[in-house]
Amino acid sequence: MLNFDDLGLSTEILMAIKVKGYSTPTPIQVQAIPHLLQGHDLLGIAQTGTGKTAAFALPLIDRLMKNRVKARPARVRALILTPTRELASQILASITTYAKNSKLSSAVMFGGVSERPQIMAMSRGVDILVATPGRLIDLMEQGHVRFEQLEVFILDEADRMLDMGFITDVKRVIRQLPAKRQTLLFSATMPQDIASLANTMLYRPVRVEVTPQSTTVEKVEQKVAMVEKGNRLMLLRNIVRQNSNGSVLVFTRTKHGADRVVKHLEREKVVAMAIHGNKSQNARERALQSFRSGKIQVLVATDIAARGIDVPGVGYVINYDLPEDPESYVHRIGRTARAGLGGVAISFCDNSELHLLRAVERLIKRKVPVDSMLGHR
Ligand code: AMP
């Protein structure tokens, strides 16, 4: 097995990794870092949880540190585009940790909050900018962000960008970038549109593919509860009550559904909050923080809002509805059983959703047993 020391990273970065407590690099880190340090483009097929952030961030920091150029006002030397605010904040947090022994500056840019601090940060120029597409385009068009000094462009979660309707925005940003640059594209899946985008934006990329964290999936005890939609609130309440000491993360397909579940739980005197796209950034951060600290027992989330959220110690994940996209199932249940802990994932299902359950079972290559004790038909 390779060590971090064997990958060719600078001492400053190795020190930061050590403090962070990583002992060995993950497969995507082993495969990607040496090529990235040599300046190659990269096509990474990987999802959250594989260590992909460090796989791109460590060599990025290394490169920017060695190439001692100062970002001029409004310029960025590296741009990381990511679909959601939560992911953008998390990537920035990782970068701050890994770059703490360097003098590199970094900033984050997303909508739903005031533009002012983001414009202020740009006025001095930044080495690494993490952004979601909408706000970036706004500030780019106002002249606050310029790319003449751009050295590296990273497109994260490209397939989500497509799902969320951001692909035109992404292309608009790419047209502004200098042709000579290092480009990385990460995506959990490779639909045709993303493959063609990769073809147009990458130059002779190294291709790295890591399989979804099947180990995570294996550590989670998974069950199905056959329950009609009308009985789901009651069943959820019972599960939450029986598990009164543990955190419960509930996924719903729609924002409206998430709000409805929260209202119902509150009527039952269970403290719960929702996070989804209609909530302000502050409200989402507050809900996440309360959930992490154990102030609230139940967090109800939609898939997009929950993407990338890292909450240690979630005991239960409840799929209040099964997701349309089976890969979301893997993301959802991956929120539990982190850091080697076990966890339980219960999926509510009725006859009209059996096809969704079969799609999940095909993807994870195993059957999810029905727990008849949980049924409230
Ligand atoms: P990511 O796929 O980038 O979202 O990373 C998932 C989680 O793995 C994050 O909480 C990272 O802090 C953690 N992580 C990344 N690289 C390593 C490593 N080499 N060893 C242990 N944990 C890691």
Side-chain angles (χ1 to χ4, degrees):
M1 189 183 290
L2 273 172
N3 285 319
F4 273 111
D5 296 351
D6 305 325
L7 298 177
L9 293 160
S10 315
T11 331
E12 292 90 332
I13 297 178
L14 293 175
M15 269 160 46
I17 296 172
K18 214 169 180 178
V19 173
K20 177 86 182 150
Y22 301 165
S23 52
T24 45
T26 66
I28 192 165
Q29 291 162 4
V30 171
Q31 291 172 55
I33 291 174
H35 295 294
L36 291 174
L37 286 173
Q38 285 172 13
H40 291 289
D41 281 6
L42 182 109
L43 177 61
I45 303 166
Q47 49 186 237
T48 309
T50 53
K52 75 179 156 85
T53 312
F56 67 70
L58 301 175
L60 170 68
I61 293 164
D62 200 283
R63 173 185 174 137
L64 298 180
M65 252 168 56
K66 285 186 179 139
N67 186 12
R68 293 168 177 275
V69 180
K70 198 169 160 7
R72 298 197 303 275
R75 305 327 191 262
V76 293
R77 295 177 62 205
L79 171 66
I80 301 167
L81 261 193
T82 187
T84 67
R85 311 156 187 196
E86 282 76 13
L87 268 169
S89 301
Q90 270 186 23
I91 293 172
L92 184 80
S94 299
I95 286 181
T96 316
T97 313
Y98 305 141
K100 71 178 175 147
N101 303 320
S102 77
K103 297 207 163 53
L104 298 174
S105 58
S106 49
V108 69
M109 195 174 270
F110 46 67
V113 294
S114 159
E115 291 181 346
R116 291 234 121 253
Q118 299 173 3
I119 295 174
M120 287 281 283
M122 280 314 306
S123 67
R124 296 183 285 272
V126 298
D127 292 308
I128 303 174
L129 176 66
V130 188
T132 57
R135 176 59 63 86
L136 175 67
I137 289 182
D138 283 351
L139 297 192
M140 204 171 83
E141 287 178 346
Q142 293 173 39
H144 296 296
V145 188
R146 297 176 53 174
F147 296 116
E148 297 94 323
Q149 280 188 282
L150 185 107
E151 296 170 50
V152 185
F153 171 55
I154 299 169
L155 179 60
D156 192 24
E157 310 242 338
D159 52 349
R160 281 285 140 163
M161 296 277 194
L162 187 72
D163 291 348
M164 292 172 71
F166 287 160
I167 218 70
T168 324
D169 285 349
V170 170
K171 288 182 180 160
R172 218 156 121 198
V173 172
I174 294 174
R175 281 199 296 274
Q176 304 296 317
L177 305 179
K180 189 169 170 303
R181 55 166 202 253
Q182 184 181 26
T183 309
L184 286 62
L185 183 152
F186 288 91
S187 192
T189 54
M190 258 310 131
Q192 190 48 47
D193 291 15
I194 298 298
S196 341
L197 181 69
N199 268 334
T200 59
M201 63 183 269
L202 300 169
Y203 173 71
R204 296 172 68 176
V206 174
R207 189 185 158 103
V208 170
E209 182 163 2
V210 292
T211 43
Q213 286 286 69
S214 56
T215 47
T216 310
V217 177
E218 276 149 23
K219 275 187 236 142
V220 183
E221 185 188 344
Q222 300 167 62
K223 303 176 197 177
V224 170
M226 291 305 292
V227 54
E228 297 299 339
K229 299 203 171 61
N231 291 328
R232 289 185 183 180
L233 286 168
M234 202 165 53
L235 178 58
L236 175 64
R237 182 203 61 193
N238 291 346
I239 293 172
V240 168
R241 283 209 178 136
Q242 278 160 23
N243 182 47
S244 59
N245 297 324
S247 328
V248 180
L249 181 55
V250 180
F251 285 97
T252 60
R253 212 149 43 204
T254 64
K255 300 169 194 170
H256 177 68
D259 287 334
R260 212 155 40 88
V261 169
V262 168
K263 272 206 196 95
H264 173 84
L265 288 174
E266 279 173 347
R267 267 203 301 274
E268 301 283 338
K269 305 274 176 292
V270 177
V271 194
M273 286 185 178
I275 57 168
H276 54 61
N278 287 358
K279 300 267 175 186
S280 72
Q281 180 63 15
N282 284 343
R284 292 202 232 179
E285 297 278 348
R286 223 175 18 249
L288 260 178
Q289 192 44 43
S290 308
F291 189 58
R292 279 200 194 103
S293 66
K295 230 170 41 202
I296 58 169
Q297 191 198 354
V298 183
L299 185 71
V300 187
T302 55
D303 287 302
I304 286 171
R307 184 91 174 173
I309 61 171
D310 197 353
V311 186
V314 177
Y316 273 78
V317 167
I318 308 289
N319 293 314
Y320 195 84
D321 321 283
L322 277 165
E324 292 289 340
D325 163 17
E327 287 188 12
S328 294
Y329 177 87
V330 178
H331 283 294
R332 289 175 174 193
I333 73 166
R335 304 297 118 199
T336 167
R338 289 222 154 174
L341 297 169
V344 181
I346 302 173
S347 302
F348 294 177
C349 182
D350 63 17
N351 289 338
S352 71
E353 293 169 302
L354 280 173
H355 67 290
L356 299 175
L357 178 63
R358 300 294 167 248
V360 165
E361 292 177 331
R362 271 196 301 278
L363 178 73
I364 63 171
K365 299 196 175 63
R366 56 155 73 192
K367 282 231 160 283
V368 185
V370 173
D371 186 334
S372 51
M373 300 293 286
L374 288 170
H376 274 248
R377 298 184 63 96

